[in-house]
Amino acid sequence: DDHNKENIFNTINYDVAAKKRKKDLLNNKAKTQYFHQEKWIYVHKGSTKERHGYCTLGEAFNRLDFSSAILDSRRFNYVVRLLELIAKSQLTSLSGIAQKNYMNILEKVVQKVLEDQQNIRLIRELLQTLYTSLCTLVQRVGKSVLVGNINMWVHRMESILHWQQQLNNIQITRPAFKGTTFTDLPLCLQLNIMQRLSDGRDLVSLGQVAPDLQVLSEDRLLWKKLCQYHFTDRQIRKRLILSDKGQLDWKKMYFKLIRCYPRKEQYGDTLQLCRHCHILSWKGTDHPCTANNPETCSTSLSPQEFINLFRF
């Protein structure tokens, strides 16, 4: 009888343990699936009866699926600008997981640029900004400014230097296409296309391709429209520069203005905040909103406005 009782007791323990393992496994699977299904995050800035604590920049950075966003050409520049702003001043506010996620996304950005051979200068500037910030932070060892072992951050800095070298070694090959090229177009169309460039440095680079393009890239009206696009009339009036002929030198004014004022930022797709339910998500992402017309409640956020949401 004692032997049978012991067997029954062991069987019960085994059944309980098996059920507990099965329950834990189901819970883990459910949490994983739920995490991947969510493409939004509720931005709360204080404790309530329903929620304790507040939402952090690191949480938002982990939850909003930036890895997929960089593959979308409409969101790529937005994510890169956000990475740059975080590198400048917000890196230490990220949790250890968020910092690791930041470096993983940055690596994917670099690999995409190496494959596509596009936005090279943009990523060079991002890497240089991040490396400069890390140099300053690493020098403050022992003051709890970085999460993790210092050797890990030194390794990450070495990775940044390696990525910079890879970008510097890119050799852009001329396509084998022998049809109509940019310079074959009528001058009015060439100018029309050049007016779509929002960065003066792109105009200068384009002018270095061919002598005819050099002449077009110096067009005064082109630089005037570029100045008027990025800056207000008041800002322009404060930075007037006259040429030798007594005319306004719009090209010199543009490069002087960008040193004094921030340029206008435009993105194909942005993160949006719902004013009704305070949920943050990418444009076009469904979220559980109780408003009658959720589309009218969404406000587009610039990268800087996104970061400002988490300043308490």
Side-chain angles (χ1 to χ4, degrees):
D1 290 340
D2 292 339
H3 179 71
N4 290 335
K5 288 180 181 179
E6 185 177 352
N7 287 339
I8 293 172
F9 180 75
N10 290 336
T11 302
I12 293 173
N13 284 343
Y14 292 148
D15 289 342
V16 170
K19 288 180 180 179
K20 186 176 186 304
R21 283 196 300 270
K22 185 176 180 180
K23 183 178 180 181
D24 291 341
L25 182 63
L26 291 173
N27 286 338
N28 289 336
K29 286 184 177 179
K31 287 178 182 177
T32 302
Q33 292 172 358
Y34 184 67
F35 177 81
H36 288 295
Q37 285 175 356
E38 287 184 353
K39 302 295 183 182
W40 47 266
I41 186 169
Y42 176 74
V43 181
H44 52 107
K45 296 189 176 183
S47 296
T48 64
K49 292 181 179 179
E50 296 79 15
R51 294 177 180 269
H52 295 283
Y54 53 87
C55 181
T56 65
L57 177 62
E59 285 181 81
F61 193 78
N62 289 334
R63 292 271 295 278
L64 291 173
D65 196 16
F66 288 101
S67 295
S68 299
I70 61 175
L71 302 177
D72 189 333
S73 58
R74 297 169 303 170
R75 299 175 179 176
F76 182 83
N77 285 2
Y78 187 96
V79 176
V80 171
R81 177 58 177 163
L82 183 57
L83 293 175
E84 183 181 13
L85 290 174
I86 291 175
K88 284 182 177 179
S89 60
Q90 300 298 315
L91 197 59
T92 56
S93 68
L94 300 181
S95 65
I97 295 176
Q99 289 178 356
K100 183 178 180 180
N101 190 26
Y102 179 96
M103 295 302 299
N104 290 338
I105 292 172
L106 181 61
E107 183 177 8
K108 291 179 181 179
V109 168
V110 173
Q111 294 305 319
K112 184 178 187 301
V113 172
L114 291 173
E115 293 172 6
D116 300 344
Q117 295 189 342
Q118 297 178 5
N119 300 299
I120 298 173
R121 185 181 63 233
L122 191 66
I123 307 308
R124 279 177 181 166
E125 293 174 353
L126 167 60
L127 292 177
Q128 186 57 46
T129 299
L130 177 60
Y131 188 81
T132 302
S133 296
L134 288 179
C135 285
T136 303
L137 294 173
V138 168
Q139 292 173 0
R140 298 166 61 187
V141 177
K143 297 184 180 179
S144 303
V145 293
L146 287 173
V147 178
N149 189 283
I150 190 64
N151 294 326
M152 176 185 68
W153 283 102
V154 171
H155 175 71
R156 288 173 176 173
M157 293 175 68
E158 291 173 351
S159 298
I160 294 171
L161 292 176
H162 176 65
W163 294 336
Q164 288 178 320
Q165 187 63 43
Q166 286 182 304
L167 293 175
N168 291 334
N169 292 337
I170 288 180
Q171 297 292 331
I172 299 178
T173 55
R174 187 180 183 88
F177 178 70
K178 297 182 179 179
T180 303
T181 64
F182 180 74
T183 52
D184 294 330
L185 297 174
L187 294 180
C188 60
L189 286 181
Q190 292 183 35
L191 274 173
N192 193 288
I193 293 172
M194 293 169 79
Q195 288 175 4
R196 302 296 190 273
L197 299 177
S198 60
D199 193 327
R201 293 171 297 180
D202 292 333
L203 276 179
V204 174
S205 298
L206 185 59
Q208 296 171 349
V209 174
D212 292 341
L213 293 177
Q214 170 66 29
V215 176
L216 285 180
S217 68
E218 297 293 332
D219 185 78
R220 291 182 66 252
L221 184 59
L222 202 62
W223 289 98
K224 178 180 179 181
K225 289 185 176 180
L226 196 60
C227 288
Q228 292 174 337
Y229 172 77
H230 284 290
F231 309 106
T232 65
D233 291 339
R234 183 177 181 182
Q235 291 171 338
I236 292 173
R237 287 196 299 269
K238 287 184 176 182
R239 308 293 173 182
L240 296 178
I241 299 176
L242 297 178
S243 64
D244 298 335
K245 298 179 180 180
Q247 298 176 326
L248 290 175
D249 193 327
W250 290 101
K251 182 178 179 180
K252 288 184 178 179
M253 286 168 57
Y254 170 81
F255 287 107
K256 187 172 184 179
L257 285 163
I258 62 174
R259 291 194 297 269
C260 302
Y261 308 106
R263 288 180 298 172
K264 182 179 179 180
E265 296 180 8
Q266 265 195 336
Y267 304 98
D269 201 356
T270 64
L271 287 168
Q272 293 192 327
L273 180 68
C274 180
R275 297 188 302 272
H276 179 78
C277 57
H278 299 284
I279 283 179
L280 186 65
S281 62
W282 285 104
K283 184 178 179 181
T285 302
D286 293 330
H287 66 271
C289 185
T290 57
N292 294 329
N293 296 311
E295 297 81 8
T296 62
C297 301
S298 296
T299 303
S300 295
L301 299 178
S302 68
Q304 185 61 61
E305 289 171 338
F306 168 79
I307 290 177
N308 291 343
L309 277 179
F310 305 98
R311 288 181 173 172
F312 307 112

